[in-house]
Amino acid sequence: MEAFERNIRKVEPYVPGEQPRQRVVKLNTNENPYPPAPGVERALKELDTADFRLYPDPACSVLVDAIADFYKVGRDQVFVGVGSDDVLSLCFLTFFNSDKPILFPDITYSFYKVWAQLYRIPYECKRVDEQFRIVREDYYGENGGVIFPNPNAPTALYEDLELVEDILRHNRDVIVIVDEAYIDYAGPSAVELVDRYDNLIVTQTFSKSRSMAGMRIGYAIANPKLIRYLNDVKYSFNSYTLNRASLVCGAEAVKDRAYFEETVEKIKATRERAMERLGSLGFSCTRSSANFLFATHPDCDARELFEALKREGIYVRWWDSERIRQYMRITVGTDEEMEKLFAFLEQYLSKGE
Ligand code: PMP
């Protein structure tokens, strides 16, 4: 090792899902198969590119206001960032500064471990039970903060707000982050708890239910004090985060509640049909409350199937990770895309017999 390398911050980076250039049946990164609300296209056409020479609004006001209106919270309760990955990363930096370990589930969004390592935050992973459920008592002990997704990823399981509130009640002295990237496909959001728990931060994203992964928009909702702390760190790091196009397109997307609800319902309907169909092919899936399915088959090796699917131009996600090696995560696409998947699976399984 060269001497200077000793002073380099080394990390084992997060590995994002593949973004192939060729057209494939893309069921690997939980994007929405439907386009964003029609107002987004109009807003984009109306953008004056001459304004691109000017920095965007560092306070992101049009977008913050639109989100605050939608969720009926104060504008001082909303923070926006470049996707929820950016928001979550800033939350780690801002709120997890204890010598005690932060806690998160062992099977969860793999970025948490990466941020903890990057920022040198001690952490402990708590084992989810055999059904992949979060064990609430594991979060009762002393710690430096708590984070978990609800629904969890990649298990797709939603925990009732009663469990979320119980964890909050047992952790009044630290910050609890609930990562709700997939909440719109599940049950009630923890946003309704924000006014009662001043240690709660809820993060959400435009990448899934609002069909805008490519625009990179995420946000946090919390009490005004925590939002101020987040903004202080943001302004000390990178003040101009969201670009002009994302700001106006994001604001348009939130305004169209009817389109949003219709798209969410379409995905949920396809999800239910897909779960049934996978069941009839011998797969078992967890009870999905997200826009993806977490599936395993007793007779096929998940890695081999994942690779066979890829050769066929059908991309899903698989992790070489201890407890979930025999599972694949399949994003809910359009009905047509799911048909292509099922047609291949039928053929693959019949060959195996
Ligand atoms: N949280 C979870 C649980 C996720 O699965 C994702 C998507 N990879 C994110 C956060 C981040 O999504 P984005 O940065 O696109 O908002």
Side-chain angles (χ1 to χ4, degrees), residues 194-255:
V194 154
D195 286 335
R196 269 188 289 139
Y197 293 90
D198 56 3
N199 58 327
L200 167 64
I201 297 179
V202 180
T203 61
Q204 295 190 4
T205 179
F206 280 48
S207 301
K208 318 294 177 186
S209 52
R210 289 197 166 79
S211 310
M212 291 178 80
M215 295 305 270
R216 310 303 299 126
I217 306 170
Y219 53 101
I221 298 180
N223 76 77
K225 191 177 187 179
L226 296 189
I227 297 297
R228 276 200 302 278
Y229 281 125
L230 262 181
N231 270 312
D232 287 348
V233 171
K234 166 194 148 159
Y235 282 108
S236 313
F237 202 80
N238 176 14
S239 326
Y240 303 111
T241 48
L242 273 89
N243 64 59
R244 285 172 172 272
S246 295
L247 287 172
V248 293
C249 291
E252 280 310 313
V254 198
K255 283 178 197 157

Side-chain angles (χ1 to χ4, degrees), residues 14 83-85 88 109 112 149 153 179 181-182 205 207-208 216-217:
Y14 171 73
S84 54
D85 281 341
L88 286 163
Y109 188 32
Y112 301 160
D179 171 358
Y182 302 101
T205 179
S207 301
K208 318 294 177 186
R216 310 303 299 126
I217 306 170

Side-chain angles (χ1 to χ4, degrees), residues 103-105 126 133-141 143 145-150 159-178 193 197 199-200:
L103 309 180
F104 49 85
K126 297 294 184 185
R133 289 279 171 194
I134 288 176
V135 181
R136 63 178 73 196
E137 293 83 7
D138 287 347
Y139 299 84
Y140 288 177
N143 63 65
V146 174
I147 177 161
F148 58 92
N150 199 29
E159 303 291 352
D160 286 337
L161 275 193
E162 187 272 319
L163 177 138
V164 176
E165 194 166 0
D166 187 52
I167 290 179
L168 277 162
R169 239 185 278 114
H170 283 87
N171 286 282
R172 293 314 305 248
D173 295 337
V174 294
I175 298 294
V176 176
I177 303 173
V178 183
L193 302 176
Y197 293 90
N199 58 327
L200 167 64

Side-chain angles (χ1 to χ4, degrees), residues 82-339:
V82 186
S84 54
D85 281 341
D86 179 43
V87 176
L88 286 163
S89 157
L90 278 176
C91 285
F92 270 59
L93 186 61
T94 311
F95 300 116
F96 293 160
N97 289 292
S98 166
D99 296 333
K100 293 177 197 141
I102 60 162
L103 309 180
F104 49 85
D106 65 337
I107 300 174
T108 197
Y109 188 32
S110 53
F111 226 142
Y112 301 160
K113 205 178 268 185
V114 176
W115 287 315
Q117 287 167 359
L118 176 66
Y119 296 134
R120 299 182 183 148
I121 302 163
Y123 65 93
E124 238 174 72
C125 298
K126 297 294 184 185
R127 201 177 155 86
V128 291
D129 72 13
E130 292 313 305
Q131 281 71 50
F132 299 141
R133 289 279 171 194
I134 288 176
V135 181
R136 63 178 73 196
E137 293 83 7
D138 287 347
Y139 299 84
Y140 288 177
E142 257 196 82
N143 63 65
V146 174
I147 177 161
F148 58 92
N150 199 29
N152 197 359
T155 63
L157 293 172
Y158 172 75
E159 303 291 352
D160 286 337
L161 275 193
E162 187 272 319
L163 177 138
V164 176
E165 194 166 0
D166 187 52
I167 290 179
L168 277 162
R169 239 185 278 114
H170 283 87
N171 286 282
R172 293 314 305 248
D173 295 337
V174 294
I175 298 294
V176 176
I177 303 173
V178 183
D179 171 358
E180 291 191 339
Y182 302 101
I183 194 65
D184 298 318
Y185 305 105
S189 159
V191 166
E192 68 181 68
L193 302 176
V194 154
D195 286 335
R196 269 188 289 139
Y197 293 90
D198 56 3
N199 58 327
L200 167 64
I201 297 179
V202 180
T203 61
Q204 295 190 4
T205 179
F206 280 48
S207 301
K208 318 294 177 186
S209 52
R210 289 197 166 79
S211 310
M212 291 178 80
M215 295 305 270
R216 310 303 299 126
I217 306 170
Y219 53 101
I221 298 180
N223 76 77
K225 191 177 187 179
L226 296 189
I227 297 297
R228 276 200 302 278
Y229 281 125
L230 262 181
N231 270 312
D232 287 348
V233 171
K234 166 194 148 159
Y235 282 108
S236 313
F237 202 80
N238 176 14
S239 326
Y240 303 111
T241 48
L242 273 89
N243 64 59
R244 285 172 172 272
S246 295
L247 287 172
V248 293
C249 291
E252 280 310 313
V254 198
K255 283 178 197 157
D256 197 339
R257 188 184 285 268
Y259 181 85
F260 161 74
E261 286 172 356
E262 185 192 313
T263 323
V264 164
E265 287 311 313
K266 273 206 288 201
I267 298 280
K268 281 163 76 174
T270 305
R271 173 183 79 196
E272 298 308 305
R273 285 194 288 271
M275 273 182 72
E276 229 168 79
R277 191 73 182 272
L278 285 172
S280 70
L281 290 169
F283 284 88
S284 30
C285 297
T286 55
R287 168 65 262 172
S288 172
S289 294
N291 67 338
F292 57 88
L293 300 163
F294 197 48
T296 184
H297 195 288
D299 308 326
C300 338
D301 180 70
R303 178 186 207 151
E304 281 173 22
L305 176 52
F306 160 77
E307 278 162 5
L309 280 163
K310 193 164 171 182
R311 283 194 295 276
E312 197 63 22
I314 302 172
Y315 281 48
V316 300
R317 197 92 199 257
W318 172 82
W319 288 272
D320 191 5
S321 162
E322 201 190 327
R323 295 179 72 192
I324 57 170
R325 204 165 274 131
Q326 283 310 331
Y327 282 80
M328 294 184 316
R329 190 193 71 187
I330 306 164
T331 304
V332 176
T334 59
D335 287 319
E336 297 70 41
E337 287 173 320
M338 299 316 271
E339 278 310 320

